[in-house]
Amino acid sequence: MCTRKAALRFILVLLSLLLVLKFNVATEIEDELEELLAVDEEVEREADGGGEKLSEAEVLSKAQRIVIELNNDNTERVVNGNEFVLVLGYAPWCPRSAELMPHFAEAATSLRELRIPIVMAKLDADRYPKPASFLGVKGFPTLLLFVNGTSQPYSGGFTADDIVIWTRKKTGTPVIRISSVVEAEKFLRKYQKFVVGQFDKFEGTDYEEFVSAAKSDNEIQFVEVNQVELAKVLYPAIKPTGRFLGIVKSEPERYTAYGASVFDGAFTMNKILEFVDYNKFPLVTTLTEMNSDKVYASPVKLQVLVFANIDDFKILLDPLQDVARTFKSKIMFIYVAIDDENLAKPFLTLFGLEESKNPVIAAFNNGMSSKYLLESKPTQSNIENFCNNLVQGSLSPYFKSQPIPDNTEASVHVIVGKTFDDEILSSKKDVLLEVFTPWCINCETISKQVEKLAKHYKGSSNLMFARIDASANEHPNLQVNDYPTLLLYRADDKANPIKLSTKSGLKELAASINKYLKVKNVKDEL
């Protein structure tokens, strides 16, 4: 009997201790945050009382102090001890981490002012690999939202406003409701891009579809009103109807109404999201590291990219915007700084224009992996014709080519993209074509063999030897992925070239040529 009482007493003490520990964990986190903010609130009071206004650096410093620093000791405690935790996993040496850090800190300040119940935390995942593994941080930077200890990936934008909007939606506030003109004016000063919905009542099927769309969208703030007077503050051109939906952006094409485009019809979540996806970008979007994923994921498959320095782009901007209005929702127009090694060079290389300093206007059909190039002067008229042909599908795809060479004295002719038709496909001769790239390790050996073969068959009038640099030249009928490649085009069957082995010796290659061709006047010995 005494033993049983002692055991019960022990269990009660243990349960009490666990409850105290849990309470202390939550209290400790709250106290930690309050201590970090105490100095800032004092400074704010002094500023409000007539003191000097906080500098930009001081504001950033304050914001950064709101964000909890995770480490080996506190990571599990913070993540498991709060309902909502947004974690930034970063590395000090990562440029994108450095770019995101101030936006994350600014978002933390805004979320606190909005009284959103979320803990903002960051982890130097390079310094603390163990908690990084626990959280699931695999790259830099990584944003993860933990809801009661369970993570979900971040899928919003990367400015402070983007982070705030996404976080509010995921923590239970997908739509902001406005009830007065003062609130509407305050909202308008804060948000540069938003979706506004007007409803007679905040109920019914249409309203439910609107809220569902707001929850599903990860980027744009949705706002709702039930009075035309309030809606007009946000969207002045609104018509006095019982239901309205529109998107507002801070650019020349500022207002777009649902139903005023190709999206006439059912008022459903999917249609609303489609409308937003097709209209959320500016007339001309500037491509950056931060927005590149969103731009590439656009449902608008036709994209016109303008590569230029900033001064040339300023000259092109007005005519580009005029053209963009004409092709809105059909073509996405994107500006890329021409000297950007990461964003511009990969595209320009596809056209063989990586060294270009002048403006380049190119187009892509992402649905078909086709590319096009405006080869005339970039005037408004030429750009508009280029886009019109792109939409109609009558624009010829672009295949890059080096300048046409002089092959008068060459034993092995140099073929480029522009001469492939005439010298290979339309030629009445048999052609042995060597396909190479400058970075190919084994290409030099094959090139020497082709030179010797050309000399051996020099007296033949019906066989030509040629080579093409596949890194700088393209043709729709030349689809080669391995280098070097040897292709034998017979005069009577140019559509079906024969692939010869590049591992064969000189005599074996000659034997293969003799097997497929009737070569005349061969004199030199190999």
Side-chain angles (χ1 to χ4, degrees), residues 351 362-365 368 370-375 385-386 388-400 476:
F351 294 88
F364 293 87
N365 184 334
M368 299 174 60
S370 300
K371 65 179 186 291
Y372 310 89
L373 181 69
L374 177 64
E375 299 186 68
N385 289 335
F386 178 74
N388 192 49
N389 291 331
L390 178 66
V391 170
Q392 292 179 357
S394 59
L395 203 61
S396 297
Y398 179 82
F399 298 95
K400 63 183 176 182

Side-chain angles (χ1 to χ4, degrees), residues 441-461:
I441 297 174
N442 299 318
C443 286
E444 186 176 354
T445 300
I446 290 297
S447 291
K448 290 179 180 178
Q449 289 185 325
V450 170
E451 295 282 356
K452 291 178 181 179
L453 288 169
K455 184 178 179 182
H456 175 66
Y457 289 98
K458 186 177 181 180
S460 173
S461 59

Side-chain angles (χ1 to χ4, degrees), residues 88-102 123-127 137-143 158 289-290 342:
L88 167 61
Y90 71 95
W93 45 261
C94 170
R96 292 194 69 177
S97 293
E99 188 176 353
L100 180 57
M101 196 79 71
L123 172 71
D124 182 342
D126 193 44
R127 181 180 179 185
V137 176
K138 298 178 180 178
F140 312 117
T142 294
L143 282 170
F158 296 100
E289 292 281 359
M290 287 298 185
N342 294 327

Side-chain angles (χ1 to χ4, degrees), residues 265-279:
F267 197 87
T268 64
M269 179 192 78
N270 289 336
K271 283 292 183 180
I272 293 170
L273 292 175
E274 187 180 8
F275 165 75
V276 172
D277 280 344
Y278 272 83
N279 291 280

Side-chain angles (χ1 to χ4, degrees), residues 429-432 453-465 488-491 500 509-524 526:
K429 292 184 178 182
D430 301 308
V431 182
L432 179 67
L453 288 169
K455 184 178 179 182
H456 175 66
Y457 289 98
K458 186 177 181 180
S460 173
S461 59
N462 66 312
L463 176 59
M464 182 180 81
F465 289 82
L488 185 61
Y489 290 84
R490 293 175 292 182
L500 303 184
L509 285 172
S512 296
I513 293 172
N514 294 335
K515 174 184 175 182
Y516 294 110
L517 305 177
K518 295 179 180 179
V519 183
K520 303 175 183 178
N521 302 322
V522 178
K523 296 180 180 180
D524 293 340
L526 287 172

Side-chain angles (χ1 to χ4, degrees), residues 345-379:
K345 296 304 180 185
F347 284 110
L348 293 172
T349 299
L350 295 175
F351 294 88
L353 298 172
E354 56 268 30
E355 302 302 324
S356 178
K357 301 299 181 185
N358 297 319
V360 174
I361 295 183
F364 293 87
N365 184 334
N366 290 337
M368 299 174 60
S369 300
S370 300
K371 65 179 186 291
Y372 310 89
L373 181 69
L374 177 64
E375 299 186 68
S376 56
K377 190 175 180 180
T379 63

